[in-house]
Amino acid sequence: MNREEIFDGLRQSPKVDVCVLGGGINGLSVFRELALQGVNVVLVEKHDFCSGASAALSRMVHGGLRYLENGEFSLVRESLVERDRLLRNAPHYVGPLPTTVPVFDVFSGIANGAVRFLGLSRRPSRRGAVVIKAGLAIYDFLTRKRALMPRHEFRGRRSTLGRWPALNPAIKNSATYYDAWVSQPERLGIELLQDGLSAGAHARAVNYAELKLTAPGRYAVRDTIGGMEVSIEPTLIVNATGGWIDIANQSLFSGPARPAPLMGGTKGSHLIIDNDDLTRALDGHMIYYENEDGRICILFPYLGKVLVGSTDIRVDDPETVRCETEERDYILQSLAFVLPTIKVRHEEIVFQFSGVRPLPASKDSFTGRIPRDHYCTFVETADADTADGGPPVLCMIGGKWTTFRSFGELAADFVLERLARPRRVATADRAIGGGRDFPADREAWITRVTAATAISPTRVATLFQRYGTDAERIAAFIALAPDMPLPHPGYSTREIQLLIRSEKVEHLDDLLLRRTTLAITGELSLEMTDAVLALLAAEKHWSAARQAQERARFLTLLLERHGVDEDMLSARNEQRSALCETTARSG
Ligand SMILES: Cc1cc2nc3c(=O)[nH]c(=O)nc-3n(C[C@H](O)[C@H](O)[C@H](O)COP(=O)(O)OP(=O)(O)OC[C@H]3O[C@@H](n4cnc5c(N)ncnc54)[C@H](O)[C@@H]3O)c2cc1C
């Protein structure tokens, strides 16, 4: 269903069961849950799907080792269960991540940990080997029945430096355990959306749209691209706007009895670094370490580069957050602390990103100690729990990316109870998108799809890595008509056209930042940007002026939010030409 069809449908029949506000991972999760139960649901996202915190995470799918010291045992247990489900339900995007913790002390943190656990102090402190060992033993205990990944092991100083010689020589020993990572969280969000939409015409979703209060308790959906506006009469609203939750709540109520603040977000930034010495120094592991100030930082190999982060700074408005110079310096300083011999030059930072953790409101002066758990509540005003006589608003507060399924399930159960509707479908063991029918034998799968589509096995393998088993549908589409190469060797015109047609792409940044990993991996050149823009313009019948506007919008966004300027993109044209020449000469 395209935008016009969605707005036409609502015009004809404005009554819906649920309007979900926010298309981050949690909004998409509750949308999918409700769609699968046959609930008439409309999701309204102000920007693009998964463009807020759900595009800014550290890309860890984890239990949260450090939440143990805050006493959040049930969150860690739930997160580990969800982590293991994602390893099974989305194996195309979620994989095991060996994680090594360099340890600088033996006994530090024990007294402090106990004091903190008793609520007597919130101050961060160094964590010694005994504390880390205790945490990892709990991790192993919580996963003992499933045991999808190896148990933790400790290494002495000599053996640690033998394997990771670039680590700070001040270490005493190290611990290695297993968690998981997600390669393309934004694409996984799109696949959740598609799973929901495929449940039937009762499930609709629109990006670049807002829910507007038109009179007390009355609402309209406004299309911020085409300007269409249509009244909507939801029985219930779900506020899944993450870091925007209080701002969104304010916009839903007109009277003086505004809801109390629920959120207290903190900003976190990351860098993507292209440095071979750094990649080699990690030897395939994530390094999960404590910076000199006691804050936990991470770095791990990410799609051919290295992801390093992050910061933790209180913010009120998530709208314009970006990685500031001081944050970049902090991250580089933390890197220099853990790997002192690795020198990173500024031009090796190929991308940076920032987002707001949607944490529950808290007065804690140490941001790392704010609880990471999630909960749902119907918003209360001073008068009643209904918005000016309008529908009740269920708010989703907090939540990690890892727990999106269980959080969506929890919110959906609240909704189903209010609507007096039964749950028909469970999602705990339901594969997501290209994780469905995932083959045990990857090579046999590639051979079969190659034979069926006559597309080269290398290209099918690339598509499989990018889309999981959805690659079969994409390969079949590519094979249907003549295809053309693009300035990036891994992509072709038909693939990009299919993404535009089937994944609600409205702007160039949707394609280059979220439907593909071109920008985040530092592989995007100016030539590729223009080639993709030309395809998008042809699909959308854009005028030259609209194309120019779209190009300017994207380049500004890339510079302001991701630290990538036009010169960097042009330089990548040259790098690519040089690479092609070398390949041609050696061939
Ligand atoms: C720096 C950082 C690192 C993190 N690392 C990890 C990690 O490694 N692992 C992990 O599990 N979790 C991690 N998290 C947490 C995780 O990213 C978030 O908890 C999760 O993505 C939140 O999803 P969400 O859908 O609630 O919010 P968001 O993804 O922010 O989505 C909210 C959406 O609501 C939309 N919106 C706002 N206002 C309105 C409105 N009025 N109407 C309609 N739409 C609106 C926004 O545009 C946005 O798309 C991290 C978070 C950050 C910031």
Side-chain angles (χ1 to χ4, degrees):
M1 219 184 280
N2 63 29
R3 302 174 79 79
E4 287 73 23
E5 288 164 339
I6 293 175
F7 279 84
D8 279 353
L10 287 173
R11 199 165 290 118
Q12 280 159 30
S13 162
K15 281 197 188 309
V16 296
D17 294 326
V18 181
C19 176
V20 175
L21 280 191
I25 201 71
N26 288 324
L28 292 166
S29 173
V30 68
F31 170 78
R32 171 190 187 232
E33 290 279 339
L34 294 172
L36 292 173
Q37 316 309 326
V39 170
N40 183 345
V41 54
V42 176
L43 184 147
V44 176
E45 161 57 51
K46 186 160 81 155
H47 300 299
D48 187 26
F49 305 109
C50 284
S51 58
S54 303
L57 62 152
S58 303
R59 287 157 202 259
M60 288 156 67
V61 179
H62 62 152
L65 188 56
R66 80 190 167 89
Y67 308 143
L68 288 173
E69 61 183 1
N70 290 356
E72 297 189 86
F73 294 103
S74 65
L75 171 66
V76 174
R77 186 185 303 108
E78 177 179 347
S79 303
L80 286 170
V81 168
E82 292 301 319
R83 178 198 75 181
D84 291 351
R85 285 191 171 129
L86 278 165
L87 284 165
R88 284 195 309 268
N89 293 336
H92 56 318
Y93 293 148
V94 179
L97 179 63
T99 301
T100 291
V101 189
V103 183
F104 292 90
D105 280 296
V106 178
F107 295 109
S108 304
I110 298 177
N112 256 307
V115 166
R116 244 187 344 256
F117 190 66
L118 294 171
L120 302 176
S121 163
R122 312 288 295 163
R123 185 176 290 277
S125 64
R126 295 203 76 78
R127 297 146 185 98
V130 176
V131 165
I132 291 167
K133 178 93 195 156
L136 292 175
I138 297 174
Y139 236 58
D140 285 343
F141 178 77
L142 292 175
T143 50
R144 70 197 182 286
K145 291 203 177 121
R146 302 184 297 277
L148 291 182
M149 295 186 284
R151 297 165 70 88
H152 81 270
E153 54 172 320
F154 254 74
R155 279 191 180 85
R157 180 173 185 275
R158 187 191 295 208
S159 146
T160 306
L161 290 176
R163 174 135 187 211
W164 293 280
L167 274 180
N168 188 328
I171 58 158
K172 296 277 186 292
N173 42 36
S174 71
T176 293
Y177 70 103
Y178 278 75
D179 246 324
W181 70 297
V182 52
S183 56
Q184 302 185 63
E186 304 87 350
R187 283 211 56 80
L188 195 135
I190 288 294
E191 294 188 359
L192 280 182
L193 174 72
Q194 288 174 328
D195 276 5
L197 294 173
S198 65
H202 61 275
R204 290 165 285 183
V206 59
N207 48 358
Y208 300 102
E210 285 172 348
L211 191 70
K212 242 180 76 181
L213 182 74
T214 52
R218 305 194 69 80
Y219 301 98
V221 182
R222 196 173 78 84
D223 172 6
T224 57
I225 293 180
M228 294 177 276
E229 188 167 314
V230 60
S231 293
I232 181 171
E233 294 169 29
T235 306
L236 209 145
I237 294 174
V238 175
N239 184 348
T241 58
W244 287 263
I245 202 157
D246 292 322
I247 301 171
N249 269 344
Q250 296 296 319
S251 75
L252 296 175
F253 297 85
S254 60
R258 301 291 180 92
L262 296 166
M263 231 271 315
T266 69
K267 172 172 87 150
S269 299
H270 291 86
L271 307 178
I272 301 285
I273 296 176
D274 184 6
N275 176 310
D276 290 343
D277 291 340
L278 180 58
T279 306
R280 269 193 300 274
L282 302 180
D283 195 20
H285 277 226
M286 164 150 152
I287 306 292
Y288 183 91
Y289 64 102
E290 199 179 47
N291 194 13
E292 283 162 299
D293 60 2
R295 279 212 60 248
I296 297 289
C297 296
I298 54 122
L299 71 156
F300 68 97
Y302 180 73
L303 304 178
K305 306 290 184 303
V306 174
L307 187 155
V308 196
S310 68
T311 52
D312 203 356
I313 302 164
R314 276 189 189 277
V315 287
D316 292 326
D317 184 359
E319 200 62 45
T320 52
V321 293
R322 61 178 188 186
C323 177
E324 302 293 346
T325 313
E326 312 80 72
E327 291 179 87
R328 212 153 91 142
D329 292 348
Y330 175 88
I331 295 171
L332 291 177
Q333 170 277 320
S334 79
L335 191 57
F337 164 71
V338 74
L339 297 166
T341 55
I342 308 282
K343 300 291 168 232
V344 173
R345 289 175 295 135
H346 270 250
E347 57 272 28
E348 289 171 337
I349 302 172
V350 294
F351 194 79
Q352 60 194 36
F353 57 92
S354 197
V356 175
R357 300 175 184 88
L359 306 178
S362 160
K363 293 206 166 54
D364 211 311
S365 49
F366 296 100
T367 49
R369 301 276 175 244
I370 302 174
R372 263 41 181 181
D373 213 345
H374 54 252
Y375 67 99
C376 290
T377 184
F378 280 98
V379 85
E380 302 283 345
T381 68
D383 301 332
D385 66 346
T386 56
D388 299 330
V393 179
L394 180 72
C395 296
M396 296 175 74
I397 298 120
K400 296 162 63 187
W401 191 93
T402 306
T403 50
F404 71 78
R405 194 210 62 82
S406 54
F407 195 15
E409 182 183 65
L410 177 76
D413 285 340
F414 271 96
V415 171
L416 292 172
E417 196 186 336
R418 277 277 169 132
L419 297 177
R421 300 270 290 269
R423 174 172 276 280
R424 301 199 306 218
V425 178
T427 52
D429 298 316
R430 191 181 177 95
I432 301 167
R436 267 192 288 270
D437 303 321
F438 204 74
D441 185 345
R442 177 182 171 276
E443 297 313 315
W445 191 95
I446 290 170
T447 307
R448 182 179 64 73
V449 175
T450 301
T453 56
I455 288 183
S456 81
T458 320
R459 181 96 174 94
V460 173
T462 304
L463 293 174
F464 180 73
Q465 190 201 2
R466 222 170 259 163
Y467 307 104
T469 53
D470 236 10
E472 184 161 7
R473 179 181 61 89
I474 293 163
F477 176 84
I478 292 173
L480 272 183
D483 198 16
M484 297 287 289
L486 284 168
H488 185 288
Y491 285 89
S492 69
T493 54
R494 293 279 293 166
E495 180 181 348
I496 297 290
Q497 279 163 349
L498 184 62
L499 296 183
I500 297 170
R501 289 177 202 172
S502 60
E503 297 193 349
K504 294 189 184 278
V505 171
E506 299 297 337
H507 285 292
L508 186 57
D509 45 288
D510 303 344
L511 265 176
L512 298 177
L513 289 172
R514 290 173 289 277
R515 307 301 183 271
T516 66
T517 54
L518 279 161
I520 195 170
T521 51
E523 290 174 8
L524 185 66
S525 65
L526 203 56
E527 254 183 314
M528 183 65 175
T529 306
D530 286 330
V532 172
L533 174 60
L535 287 172
L536 184 56
E539 290 288 318
K540 301 264 181 206
H541 311 292
W542 283 346
S543 65
R546 174 70 207 273
Q547 267 193 71
Q549 204 184 11
E550 197 59 35
R551 189 177 193 271
R553 171 193 150 101
F554 176 67
L555 293 178
T556 307
L557 193 67
L558 207 56
L559 177 63
E560 289 182 355
R561 298 287 178 87
H562 304 291
V564 179
D565 64 26
E566 211 172 317
D567 289 346
M568 288 165 81
L569 293 184
S570 301
R572 291 181 198 156
N573 289 347
E574 285 152 30
Q575 280 162 12
R576 206 185 84 77
S577 311
L579 187 74
C580 291
E581 239 172 72
T582 319
T583 318
R585 254 188 269 128
S586 62

